Amino acid sequence: MAPAWQRLRFGASLLKRQLNGGPHVIGRGRRVLPGSARGTHSATGTWTKEYTLQTRKDVEKRWHQRIKEQARDVPEADRSKPKFYVLSMFPYPSGKLHMGHVRVYTISDTIARFQKMRGMQVINPMGWDAFGLPAENAAIERDLHPESWTQSNIKYMRKQLDRLGLCFSWDREVTTCLPDYYKWTQYLFIKLYEAGLAYQKEALVNWDPVDQTVLANEQVDEHGCSWRSGAKVEQKYLRQWFIKTTAYAKAMQDALADLPEWYGIKGMQAHWIGDCVGCHLDFTLKVDGQVTGEKLTAYTATPEAVYGASHVAITPGHRLLHGHSSLKEALRKALVPGKDCLTPVTAVNMLTHQEVPVVILARADLEGSLDSKVGIPCTSPEDATLAQSLGLPYSEVIETLPDGTERLRGSAEFTGMSRQDAFGALTREARAKRLGGDVTSDKLKDWLVSRQRYWGTPIPVVHCAACGPVPVPLEDLPVTLPSITTFTGKGGSPLATASEWVNCSCPRCRGAARRETDTMDTFVDSAWYYLRYTDPQNTHSPFNRALADYWMPVDLYIGGKEHAVMHLFYARFFSHFCHDQKMVKHREPFRKLLAQGLIKGQTFRLPSGQYLRREEIDLTGPVPVHAKTKEQLEVTWEKMSKSKHNGVDPEQMVEQYGIDTVRLFLLFAAPPEKDILWDVKTDALPGVLRWQQRLWSLATRFMEARAAGKVPRPQVLTEEEKAEARKLWEYKNTVISQVTTHFTEDFSLNSAISHLMGLSAALSQASPSVVLHSPEFEDALCALVVMAAPMAPHITSELWAGLALVPRKLCTHYSWDAGVLLQPWPAVDPQFLHQPDIVQMAVLINNKACGKIPVPQQVARDQDKVHELVLQSELGVRLLQGRSIKKAFLSPRTALINFLVQE
């Protein structure tokens, strides 16, 4: 096979020939005559025989606006219909769509159109994940305000989506950077705070010592240096806001069992959460017997045995040794690197009131992501060894009965309970008293949501010297961003410079206070947007419960694999929390997931690692080389990127090939979950172009047959022609069943297109009498056009308009006065569902017919079972026994199996 760069040149010329087409044929009145024409049949009353480049442009120009208007005319308020909520992950408004965007939105648009044709009440909303660091960087680099840059990008990208013919539920549009949206993000944050699930503590951040600012992870290069100043980035402890996602770890882990159709993603979610076998417990800290007011949270995998604790262990990297703790000096004095060190600090369990010493461990890391744990020698040999080496006392609090049952002793009110019962009772009591107790894993961390940035949702908290942190009253929301005109990227949070905004009065005591100057991680904005889409205009609450209960859960959520862990975890967390707040009925937000693959372009790279543009590459030889230096290049497939010069402009592709062709290519080139290698278009694009031309030719042939003045008369068909028509009827029903299954179960839209191509091929082979007189041909052609409509709405709209004007139609069950996208989805005929229980399977050996055997209808499509039945039959024993079968091919449509055997 020729290399991709050689096939690309050949494919380009082939595509050009296919797009330009051949001579035209036009229709005047009901006659089809040779000639040339511009325009469309639906607009001019004439029909162009060939589907050329010009025809495609005319068709898309004619139907683009009409299709949008058709979609707008379908109401979404009919609650008597079953609903279907299809959602594609909303984009960050970076300024321009890329092919990855086009792929995911084409998939969601296609499925939304299909579900509408099935009679479902459908929403397919769109919005903008509009806060984020790039807008702030643009403000620094281009002297643009983040808001104006963001709104300008949204305006342009919205036009791009419109030009692609995507019919979103634009009346439900949300933009996360607008106050009418982030007011409710702040509302949910306050609800989390009131529930004890939002809190502050010291945490490590990336610190640029030159610019004196916090850096996001993506602003630190592979050498650990700042992207702007070039300084070596330091780790610094700052007081940060966290959301206590660990409180829902066990519930979210258990709920995965109720998501059978999260193929592949469930395992990733389960791995992210970890094994939920223990919990964190809260301790107050003393030094030399004096209460300090500081707290420590430590994990234990056996909380039921906590009355047997001997110590609390922390790692040498724990915040107490490095942050702004009052205990830092005492702990550092006790630290001897490489040794387990007893300290003068003690920890008092706030639930049991036991007091045990704090130990600094010799090793740098604990299990999972832990930096502190409760030492319980009776359940951990490692803890027992440490306690013995440091001379720490402890109690054996678990006894084993003669029957093997383990029970608690010396454990206050939990004494006498089984370990399992004690685990449940103790963790419940800790949760009730807000002293820990949430069952979680040793690897899951709480969610750090603080960002020292301007362009984000302000955290709605006021800091008062007398009252501490105080949430802003709900009636005072939203806390809007102040107007800041200068962005330098240096210093602390830009919000801290807005003194009039920062300085305020405490909502509780009315004394002087300061607003929180951190903003929220943008993952918070996107953790609940799917709920806002159900009621986007609501000014009184984030959403109306009745509307959320009707639309939720999302029936199909489509997005990139890169969001299969963090975003989904945070979205699930918010949904579980809203359920517990009685804001929504369903715990889980997404019924089915479709994690679509990447679109990759070919990259050409010098040995130095530099990526080259196409014009810098010589493709004339057997291998690509640098045009100037003739150095051989490394050729790979990578995610499309400006920096790698392997991107494709969606608008250029649409201009060159048309909306329908680009849509069909993206759907046909690979299953949605697989990556697309874009240069493979030399194989896939000609295929979908040929198919569109075949659809056009089929409709043209049918219209010509009926326009010739002959009246269709099914009774004149011969027995042979009736058998031919019967096969078309069976094939049509088979394809309807297959395509519907792909749309509803596995979303293999590439396979759906393959089945439709097969039906097109079968129809193109029909004899002239069958085309003219057979209702089966007419019905199969109409069903084909209807089934292709969600994927290629423009060409099918024109084909349907042409078919609607054909006289003397034999099929009356279509709504000929309505567009193709308003037709009901084809159903399998009841007679087809009640066919005989036995199929007469033709048996061929080396392509020669040898007879037939009866096969049960339910296994007639299963090659392995048919193969076995043939071998067991009298015919098989007589003709195949003892012979070497190289391969067998089953054709369910024609009820035929062909054995290739060694002669």
Side-chain angles (χ1 to χ4, degrees):
M1 187 175 182
W5 54 86
Q6 292 179 1
R7 289 187 284 119
L8 185 60
R9 293 199 297 273
F10 168 76
S13 61
L14 175 62
L15 288 171
K16 189 174 180 181
R17 290 199 300 276
Q18 289 188 334
L19 282 166
N20 288 336
H24 294 211
V25 171
I26 63 173
R28 292 195 177 90
R30 301 201 186 280
R31 304 223 15 114
V32 182
L33 303 169
S36 62
R38 290 286 297 273
T40 59
H41 179 245
S42 55
T44 65
T46 61
W47 187 263
T48 305
K49 187 170 183 178
E50 299 288 343
Y51 190 64
T52 64
L53 177 63
Q54 186 59 51
T55 312
R56 183 266 299 165
K57 287 184 176 179
D58 291 340
V59 165
E60 292 187 356
K61 183 178 179 181
R62 166 76 175 168
W63 286 102
H64 185 81
Q65 187 62 29
R66 285 169 174 76
I67 289 170
K68 282 173 55 184
E69 289 167 0
Q70 282 180 2
R72 276 202 298 266
D73 291 343
V74 178
E76 293 176 357
D78 186 354
R79 299 287 177 267
S80 65
K81 290 184 178 180
K83 65 89 182 180
F84 194 91
Y85 183 176
V86 57
L87 178 62
S88 44
M89 294 180 184
F90 62 174
Y92 178 76
S94 57
K96 214 170 186 183
L97 294 175
H98 54 68
M99 289 308 298
H101 288 130
V102 180
R103 186 184 190 191
V104 67
Y105 302 143
T106 297
I107 293 170
S108 69
D109 183 79
T110 298
I111 290 171
R113 293 182 193 275
F114 160 76
Q115 293 291 351
K116 285 178 183 177
M117 295 170 79
R118 291 183 81 208
M120 305 291 273
Q121 191 75 22
V122 177
I123 56 170
N124 178 27
M126 175 50 66
W128 310 96
D129 193 7
F131 274 135
L133 193 57
E136 211 157 320
N137 292 340
I140 296 167
E141 295 164 9
R142 307 175 202 180
D143 196 26
L144 290 170
H145 193 276
E147 183 175 12
S148 61
W149 184 83
T150 300
Q151 292 296 347
S152 173
N153 289 349
I154 288 173
K155 185 177 179 181
Y156 183 78
M157 291 173 74
R158 209 176 188 279
K159 285 181 179 177
Q160 283 188 299
L161 291 171
D162 178 68
R163 285 195 287 267
L164 289 165
L166 299 165
C167 291
F168 290 110
S169 308
W170 283 113
D171 57 325
R172 295 178 180 272
E173 181 179 15
V174 301
T175 305
T176 61
C177 69
L178 295 181
D180 65 358
Y181 182 90
Y182 70 71
K183 169 183 180 176
W184 302 112
T185 305
Q186 293 173 338
Y187 172 92
L188 291 170
F189 182 91
I190 291 172
K191 290 296 179 183
L192 287 163
Y193 183 85
E194 290 171 350
L197 297 174
Y199 66 95
Q200 271 188 304
K201 73 172 183 180
E202 281 193 327
L204 281 174
V205 295
N206 301 311
W207 180 257
D208 183 329
V210 172
D211 285 347
Q212 295 287 296
T213 190
V214 174
L215 301 175
N217 288 335
E218 60 267 30
Q219 293 178 305
V220 181
D221 67 21
E222 64 271 23
H223 305 296
C225 296
S226 167
W227 70 298
R228 292 194 74 248
S229 72
K232 195 73 175 175
V233 171
E234 300 171 357
Q235 296 288 291
K236 184 174 181 178
Y237 276 91
L238 288 181
R239 199 157 178 78
Q240 306 277 280
W241 282 96
F242 287 81
I243 292 177
K244 198 173 184 181
T245 49
T246 52
Y248 279 83
K250 184 69 164 66
M252 291 169 66
Q253 183 75 280
D254 292 346
L256 290 173
D258 300 325
L259 300 170
E261 298 185 83
W262 278 38
Y263 305 114
I265 306 299
K266 278 204 323 187
M268 297 166 72
Q269 285 279 303
H271 179 73
W272 177 264
I273 296 170
D275 294 327
C276 298
V277 296
C279 71
H280 291 90
L281 295 171
D282 292 344
F283 295 79
T284 56
L285 297 177
K286 296 180 179 179
V287 61
D288 296 326
Q290 299 296 310
V291 175
T292 64
E294 294 208 39
K295 292 181 180 179
L296 171 67
T297 296
Y299 183 82
T300 172
T302 55
E304 73 280 8
V306 74
Y307 280 89
S310 61
H311 62 279
V312 171
I314 61 174
T315 62
H318 194 278
R319 64 176 179 82
L320 290 174
L321 284 89
H322 301 278
H324 299 90
S325 168
S326 61
L327 302 170
K328 181 164 70 172
E329 185 178 348
L331 289 169
R332 285 193 163 187
K333 279 183 180 178
L335 174 65
V336 178
K339 288 186 67 176
D340 295 320
C341 304
L342 192 60
T343 74
V345 179
T346 56
V348 180
N349 187 317
M350 297 176 71
L351 182 67
T352 67
H353 308 296
Q354 290 173 283
E355 186 171 347
V356 293
V358 173
V359 172
I360 305 172
L361 296 174
R363 58 188 176 125
D365 298 306
L366 284 167
E367 303 82 14
S369 63
L370 300 178
D371 59 6
S372 60
K373 63 172 284 192
V374 184
I376 304 177
C378 66
T379 60
S380 166
E382 183 183 6
D383 291 344
T385 301
L386 177 64
Q388 289 162 10
S389 69
L390 295 177
L392 303 177
Y394 61 89
S395 302
E396 293 283 353
V397 295
I398 296 175
E399 60 179 349
T400 304
L401 302 182
D403 63 358
T405 304
E406 291 184 311
R407 293 197 176 277
L408 273 291
R409 68 183 184 190
S411 299
E413 69 267 32
F414 306 105
T415 298
M417 289 185 181
S418 69
R419 285 189 69 175
Q420 183 177 357
D421 290 346
F423 182 101
L426 188 138
T427 53
R428 276 195 301 274
E429 185 175 336
R431 288 195 298 274
K433 295 180 177 180
R434 291 193 178 183
L435 300 175
D438 296 304
V439 179
T440 185
S441 71
D442 60 14
K443 65 186 294 187
L444 186 66
K445 293 182 178 181
D446 283 340
W447 178 11
L448 193 162
V449 297
S450 282
R451 297 294 181 268
Q452 291 71 38
R453 293 286 171 267
Y454 170 77
W455 195 236
T457 298
I459 294 176
V461 172
V462 166
H463 295 279
C464 171
C467 306
V470 180
V472 172
L474 297 177
E475 61 271 18
D476 292 342
L477 297 179
V479 177
T480 56
L481 287 166
S483 178
I484 294 177
T485 56
T486 303
F487 297 87
T488 64
K490 299 181 179 182
S493 169
L495 290 177
T497 64
S499 56
E500 288 186 13
W501 180 85
V502 171
N503 295 312
C504 61
S505 59
C506 171
R508 190 172 295 164
C509 71
R510 299 299 169 190
R514 290 176 59 83
R515 292 193 188 279
E516 173 61 62
T517 57
D518 284 356
T519 53
M520 294 186 212
D521 178 8
T522 56
F523 272 114
V524 181
D525 306 315
S526 60
W528 73 280
Y529 77 115
Y530 52 88
L531 288 164
R532 183 64 175 174
Y533 277 142
T534 67
D535 190 17
Q537 314 304 329
N538 196 324
T539 58
H540 304 291
S541 63
F543 47 87
N544 175 275
R545 169 157 184 169
L547 289 173
D549 286 349
Y550 173 75
W551 287 111
M552 293 298 293
V554 173
D555 293 280
L556 180 63
Y557 194 29
I558 311 169
K561 293 176 184 173
E562 66 272 23
H563 299 300
V565 177
M566 289 175 65
H567 163 65
L568 280 180
F569 177 78
Y570 298 143
R572 292 181 64 218
F573 167 82
F574 262 81
S575 185
H576 276 247
F577 173 71
C578 288
H579 169 81
D580 286 354
Q581 293 286 307
K582 304 196 183 318
M583 296 172 69
V584 68
K585 177 172 65 177
H586 301 280
R587 275 191 178 276
E588 286 294 330
F590 312 119
R591 181 172 284 129
K592 285 187 180 182
L593 295 177
L594 179 54
Q596 99 281 353
L598 299 172
I599 296 188
K600 295 183 176 181
Q602 213 169 23
T603 57
F604 299 87
R605 192 166 52 179
L606 289 166
S608 64
Q610 178 188 348
Y611 289 93
L612 298 181
R613 293 180 175 84
R614 290 297 169 105
E615 59 267 24
E616 299 174 297
I617 303 159
D618 181 356
L619 296 171
T620 58
V623 294
V625 296
H626 190 196
K628 287 184 179 178
T629 66
K630 302 304 177 186
E631 289 177 275
Q632 189 169 327
L633 304 176
E634 181 186 350
V635 183
T636 55
W637 298 96
E638 299 183 59
K639 182 179 178 181
M640 287 186 176
S641 163
K642 287 181 185 176
S643 63
K644 295 175 182 176
H645 310 300
N646 68 336
V648 174
D649 184 347
E651 291 185 89
Q652 288 180 4
M653 295 302 299
V654 167
E655 177 62 30
Q656 186 173 0
Y657 300 116
I659 296 171
D660 285 345
T661 304
V662 171
R663 285 171 68 98
L664 288 170
F665 168 69
L666 290 170
L667 298 173
F668 182 58
E673 71 277 7
K674 300 293 184 184
D675 294 341
I676 291 178
L677 306 183
W678 186 259
D679 279 352
V680 177
K681 66 187 179 184
T682 52
D683 301 320
L685 266 178
V688 296
L689 281 167
R690 282 194 300 271
W691 184 46
Q692 290 173 88
Q693 289 163 347
R694 175 168 280 172
L695 288 172
W696 196 268
S697 297
L698 280 170
T700 301
R701 185 185 180 200
F702 178 68
M703 285 186 270
E704 283 180 324
R706 292 290 176 86
K710 294 181 181 179
V711 177
R713 291 185 297 159
Q715 64 272 21
V716 304
L717 293 172
T718 66
E719 290 303 315
E720 187 177 341
E721 288 165 343
K722 287 178 181 177
E724 180 188 342
R726 171 79 184 184
K727 284 187 177 180
L728 285 177
W729 175 80
E730 290 175 347
Y731 195 15
K732 177 209 73 171
N733 280 291
T734 299
V735 170
I736 290 173
S737 175
Q738 291 168 328
V739 171
T740 304
T741 297
H742 288 310
F743 264 106
T744 55
E745 294 183 13
D746 60 12
F747 309 109
S748 295
L749 302 182
N750 60 311
S751 298
I753 292 173
S754 292
H755 293 310
L756 295 178
M757 287 177 169
L759 180 56
S760 307
L763 288 169
S764 67
Q765 294 166 14
S767 62
S769 291
V770 168
V771 173
L772 174 60
H773 298 298
S774 160
E776 290 86 355
F777 180 92
E778 181 181 310
D779 190 22
L781 175 59
C782 293
L784 171 64
V785 174
V786 170
M787 287 189 284
M791 296 178 273
H794 302 87
I795 183 175
T796 53
S797 292
E798 180 67 12
L799 291 173
W800 193 257
L803 294 173
L805 296 177
V806 170
R808 299 177 290 276
K809 284 188 283 288
L810 301 171
C811 296
T812 58
H813 56 279
Y814 293 101
S815 303
W816 291 108
D817 57 347
V820 69
L821 290 164
L822 300 177
Q823 299 301 311
W825 185 256
V828 175
D829 293 318
Q831 310 95 287
F832 184 78
L833 297 172
H834 298 95
Q835 292 188 83
D837 293 336
I838 299 297
V839 174
Q840 293 299 319
M841 183 69 62
V843 178
L844 281 68
I845 298 176
N846 291 338
N847 303 313
K848 291 175 68 174
C850 299
K852 294 184 177 182
I853 70 160
V855 171
Q857 174 76 39
Q858 65 266 29
V859 301
R861 307 184 65 81
D862 187 322
Q863 177 164 315
D864 291 338
K865 289 181 179 177
V866 172
H867 188 147
E868 185 180 345
L869 288 170
V870 172
L871 294 181
Q872 292 171 358
S873 70
E874 183 275 330
L875 183 147
V877 170
R878 177 163 49 85
L879 298 178
L880 291 169
Q881 196 170 59
R883 301 181 72 180
S884 175
I885 300 171
K886 293 192 291 186
K887 202 153 191 177
F889 300 93
L890 176 70
S891 173
R893 181 171 67 88
T894 55
L896 174 154
I897 186 165
N898 186 12
F899 291 90
L900 299 183
V901 302
Q902 190 80 40
E903 293 289 2

